Amino acid sequence: MKNFSLFIPTKYYFGWNSLEILPLKAKEIGKRAFLVTGKKFLKEKGILDKIKSMLKENGIEFFHYDNITPNPKTYEVDEGAGILKKEKCDFIIGIGGGSVMDASKGIAIMAKNKGSIWDYMMMKKEVKDALPVILVPTIPASGSEYNPGGVITNPDEKRKWFFRDDKVYPKISIVDPEFTKFLPFSYLSKGGVDIITHMLEPVLTSETYGYIQYNFSAKLIKGVIESIIKIKENKDDREARENLCYSASLALSGIPTRGIGGFAIMHWLEHILSGIFDNISHPVGLCLLLFPFIKIIK
Amino acid sequence: MKNFSLFIPTKYYFGWNSLEILPLKAKEIGKRAFLVTGKKFLKEKGILDKIKSMLKENGIEFFHYDNITPNPKTYEVDEGAGILKKEKCDFIIGIGGGSVMDASKGIAIMAKNKGSIWDYMMMKKEVKDALPVILVPTIPASGSEYNPGGVITNPDEKRKWFFRDDKVYPKISIVDPEFTKFLPFSYLSKGGVDIITHMLEPVLTSETYGYIQYNFSAKLIKGVIESIIKIKENKDDREARENLCYSASLALSGIPTRGIGGFAIMHWLEHILSGIFDNISHPVGLCLLLFPFIKIIK
């Protein structure tokens, strides 16, 4: 093993109907939330109304910002932070897929710093502070709920890049497998490719052996594949849905990957791809790259 | 899976010669350290002098308290906290096995609370605050460096019991496999039984299936057994020593056990045993119980 460090300060809550604890946990963090979501999914499924009622009933004020698109853009993050400041919100609740969660972290940074999120991603400026963030993933994929990173696209430069700062480790994450029931199967399978790739690329490019990392990654990857097959065969397989959700969070937590070196080569390549072609979603980009990558690496 | 929560806020540093970062990390935490160790091991191996020089060279003041025995006693914790207050130390560095690390956490509690640690373990009083703690394990066994619990014996009541409080999660842990080179083989094998038991008992008594927990535990247990055999065959097997040390930390981190229910039945029984017979060390007590336990449970 190489020397490494691990730091995972998120309070992580997992389980069916755990969404119900959101107001309780929100109260621990702040008074007025900046609620970040995407445009469609939560609204169409009737979940958004439920969330808003839950927050209101528990006396949590909020401003709802739903201007986040897939492959979230720098201007969406900057605009969000501007509105947040005007609305005087003191924390962020991000509910959605990786795009919404990453954008929420970006907004958390820009709520406490000046300029554009791109300046901080390009290391032109230093992140001094960030607002606290609560994340609720709706798709098991990015694992953004259990790490301090995010990926944002600069459309002017047609460039997708990342930030990673311990200051935006989510304070609290709530992972409720119930959300997976609202997703079409293709979302789960594409999300699964994202989860698998998060562990496969560091292991396949690792510089040193790690018994724990190799074996944990292998078991998680096997479990994700089996779970996707099980859900295809039986929509009511609760265990498979749990397994997908928990695997997504653990994949980028550091435990399956830290200490073996290796790097996220497929993610780098994919970011170039979907940075240029905004209509390619992240998991589809990964699917395009997965087999050529395995062919080259072996 | 059952609903569960995970919270592991320790900054965890792992690797050969990582002990060298201790002064740097100590500076981040405080100015005057209460250095807690056992009586013999570090002194005999010449490591204590090295640590003291390292701290002095980096301008970190400290008071050295070495009055911790195996199966640490309530009066050792209470006495330590009294001296710490007189010496005006603002943080704790605990370097040793599980006894020293658990006692360090107990002292951290008593440095900020009144009465005896036993009052807090018996839930008669509530822990309000605690001093920050840096831990450096010298034996891969208890995993105390990566969880907020501790076990202390009350000799008046001949009773060993535990505390667990997020306020004494170590702020920083430094895990250096180098220490294992100074240990006789019997310490590593007995420590291995402790590590294995930490994962075996929750899995064997679990109330619900967890793919991730079962498989991760099984792999860690297999790895610990194989590593002990490898070290017996070849003292210079660095990978095996790394694996033992990292497994010890992960075993009680929550990841191999949280979400499946189950409980620490062997540890409970062992605490009764070594609570009465102080000459039985914790891992030896576990060895006595392991096979009868497996025979009953299967």
Side-chain angles (χ1 to χ4, degrees):
Chain A
M1 261 191 260
K2 293 161 79 86
N3 284 18
F4 68 92
S5 66
L6 264 183
F7 178 49
I8 321 173
T10 300
K11 289 193 179 180
Y12 181 90
Y13 297 91
F14 183 94
W16 295 93
N17 303 313
S18 57
L19 178 64
E20 284 171 15
I21 63 170
L22 175 63
L24 196 72
K25 295 297 153 192
K27 273 185 193 171
E28 291 175 12
I29 302 292
K31 286 184 177 166
R32 181 161 166 80
F34 194 66
L35 177 63
V36 182
T37 69
K39 275 240 181 304
K40 281 190 192 170
F41 174 72
L42 290 174
K43 204 181 279 177
E44 284 176 4
K45 305 295 175 186
I47 311 171
L48 187 63
D49 285 340
K50 192 188 152 191
I51 290 167
K52 286 184 173 177
S53 312
M54 272 168 64
L55 293 173
K56 278 178 197 159
E57 279 165 22
N58 287 275
I60 296 153
E61 292 177 39
F62 60 87
F63 178 89
H64 181 209
Y65 180 70
D66 68 355
N67 206 11
I68 303 296
T69 55
N71 296 326
K73 316 299 177 290
T74 43
Y75 60 80
E76 294 164 3
V77 169
D78 296 340
E79 180 200 75
I83 299 172
L84 181 151
K85 284 174 189 172
K86 263 189 218 156
E87 290 290 332
K88 291 181 180 156
C89 300
D90 58 356
F91 72 116
I92 295 166
I93 302 176
I95 308 181
S99 299
V100 165
M101 293 193 285
D102 288 5
S104 297
K105 291 175 187 169
I107 293 170
I109 290 173
M110 293 319 299
K112 289 280 191 178
N113 293 276
K114 285 174 185 171
S116 165
I117 184 70
W118 196 246
D119 303 332
Y120 298 87
M121 294 170 72
M122 293 293 108
M123 303 285 189
K124 284 180 190 166
K125 292 180 181 175
E126 199 191 332
V127 176
K128 289 198 179 129
D129 198 5
L131 273 195
V133 178
I134 298 180
L135 295 182
V136 181
T138 54
I139 307 171
S142 76
S144 187
E145 70 276 8
Y146 210 41
N147 70 61
V151 176
I152 308 288
T153 298
N154 183 333
D156 298 332
E157 298 195 12
K158 285 195 174 291
R159 195 164 166 216
K160 202 174 181 181
W161 197 245
F162 71 99
F163 60 84
R164 185 182 166 84
D165 195 304
D166 281 355
K167 295 182 198 78
V168 283
Y169 249 114
K171 288 280 173 243
I172 286 170
S173 283
I174 298 169
V175 180
D176 189 340
E178 190 77 28
F179 282 107
T180 64
K181 291 195 173 172
F182 298 99
L183 295 170
F185 177 74
S186 69
Y187 274 62
L188 291 176
S189 58
K190 283 188 279 183
V193 173
D194 199 11
I195 305 172
I196 290 167
T197 313
H198 287 152
M199 293 174 289
L200 200 61
E201 53 194 357
V203 166
L204 290 181
T205 58
S206 67
E207 295 152 30
T208 170
Y209 177 71
Y211 171 90
I212 291 167
Q213 295 87 337
Y214 276 43
N215 280 288
F216 193 31
S217 294
K219 279 293 176 191
L220 287 176
I221 290 169
K222 186 165 177 277
V224 168
I225 295 169
E226 285 174 0
S227 296
I228 290 171
I229 295 169
K230 280 180 186 169
I231 293 170
K232 184 159 192 156
E233 286 167 358
N234 173 17
K235 279 188 178 181
D236 298 327
D237 192 323
R238 284 166 68 94
E239 267 172 35
R241 290 176 186 274
E242 292 165 2
N243 189 50
L244 266 191
C245 293
Y246 193 24
S247 297
S249 301
L250 288 173
L252 278 184
S253 67
I255 294 163
T257 55
R258 214 69 63 81
I260 56 170
F263 56 105
I265 184 167
M266 281 182 60
H267 271 70
W268 287 1
L269 292 172
E270 196 292 308
H271 291 166
I272 296 171
L273 201 66
S274 58
I276 299 169
F277 304 103
D278 188 46
N279 57 336
I280 296 183
S281 76
H282 177 56
V284 169
L286 289 173
C287 291
L288 291 171
L289 291 163
L290 185 59
F291 290 102
F293 171 69
I294 289 174
K295 213 165 181 180
I296 292 165
I297 205 98
K298 72 171 186 179
Chain B
M1 262 191 260
K2 292 161 78 87
N3 284 18
F4 68 92
S5 66
L6 264 183
F7 178 50
I8 321 173
T10 301
K11 288 191 180 180
Y12 181 89
Y13 297 91
F14 184 94
W16 295 92
N17 304 314
S18 57
L19 179 62
E20 284 171 15
I21 63 169
L22 175 63
L24 196 73
K25 295 298 152 191
K27 274 184 192 171
E28 291 175 10
I29 303 291
K31 285 182 178 166
R32 183 163 164 79
F34 194 66
L35 176 63
V36 182
T37 71
K39 276 241 180 303
K40 282 188 192 168
F41 173 73
L42 290 173
K43 204 181 279 175
E44 284 176 5
K45 305 295 175 187
I47 310 171
L48 188 63
D49 285 340
K50 192 188 151 192
I51 290 168
K52 285 182 174 177
S53 311
M54 272 168 61
L55 293 173
K56 277 177 198 160
E57 279 165 21
N58 286 275
I60 296 154
E61 292 176 39
F62 60 87
F63 178 89
H64 181 208
Y65 180 69
D66 69 353
N67 206 11
I68 303 295
T69 56
N71 295 326
K73 315 300 178 290
T74 43
Y75 60 80
E76 294 165 4
V77 169
D78 296 341
E79 182 199 73
I83 299 171
L84 180 151
K85 284 175 191 173
K86 263 188 216 155
E87 291 290 331
K88 292 181 180 155
C89 301
D90 58 357
F91 72 116
I92 295 167
I93 301 176
I95 308 180
S99 299
V100 164
M101 291 192 286
D102 288 5
S104 296
K105 291 176 188 167
I107 293 169
I109 290 172
M110 294 318 299
K112 288 281 192 178
N113 294 275
K114 285 176 184 171
S116 165
I117 184 70
W118 196 246
D119 303 331
Y120 298 87
M121 295 170 70
M122 293 292 108
M123 305 284 188
K124 284 179 189 165
K125 291 180 181 175
E126 198 192 332
V127 176
K128 290 197 180 131
D129 198 4
L131 273 195
V133 178
I134 298 181
L135 295 182
V136 181
T138 56
I139 308 172
S142 76
S144 187
E145 69 276 9
Y146 210 42
N147 69 62
V151 176
I152 308 289
T153 298
N154 182 335
D156 298 332
E157 297 195 10
K158 284 192 173 294
R159 194 164 168 216
K160 201 175 184 181
W161 198 244
F162 72 98
F163 60 84
R164 185 183 166 83
D165 195 304
D166 282 355
K167 296 181 197 78
V168 283
Y169 249 113
K171 287 279 174 243
I172 286 168
S173 283
I174 298 169
V175 179
D176 188 341
E178 190 77 28
F179 281 106
T180 64
K181 291 194 173 172
F182 298 99
L183 295 170
F185 177 74
S186 68
Y187 274 63
L188 291 177
S189 58
K190 283 188 280 185
V193 173
D194 199 10
I195 305 171
I196 291 167
T197 314
H198 286 152
M199 293 173 288
L200 200 60
E201 52 193 359
V203 167
L204 290 182
T205 59
S206 66
E207 295 152 32
T208 171
Y209 177 71
Y211 171 89
I212 291 167
Q213 296 88 337
Y214 276 43
N215 280 289
F216 194 30
S217 294
K219 279 294 174 190
L220 287 176
I221 290 170
K222 187 165 177 277
V224 168
I225 295 169
E226 285 174 0
S227 296
I228 291 171
I229 294 168
K230 280 181 186 168
I231 294 169
K232 184 158 194 160
E233 285 168 358
N234 173 16
K235 279 188 177 181
D236 298 325
D237 192 323
R238 285 165 67 96
E239 266 172 35
R241 289 176 187 275
E242 292 165 2
N243 189 49
L244 266 189
C245 293
Y246 193 26
S247 298
S249 301
L250 289 174
L252 279 183
S253 67
I255 293 162
T257 56
R258 215 68 63 79
I260 56 170
F263 56 105
I265 185 167
M266 283 182 59
H267 272 71
W268 288 1
L269 292 170
E270 195 292 309
H271 291 166
I272 296 171
L273 201 68
S274 59
I276 298 169
F277 304 103
D278 188 46
N279 56 336
I280 296 182
S281 77
H282 177 57
V284 169
L286 289 174
C287 291
L288 290 170
L289 291 162
L290 185 59
F291 290 102
F293 171 69
I294 289 174
K295 212 164 181 181
I296 291 164
I297 206 99
K298 73 170 188 184

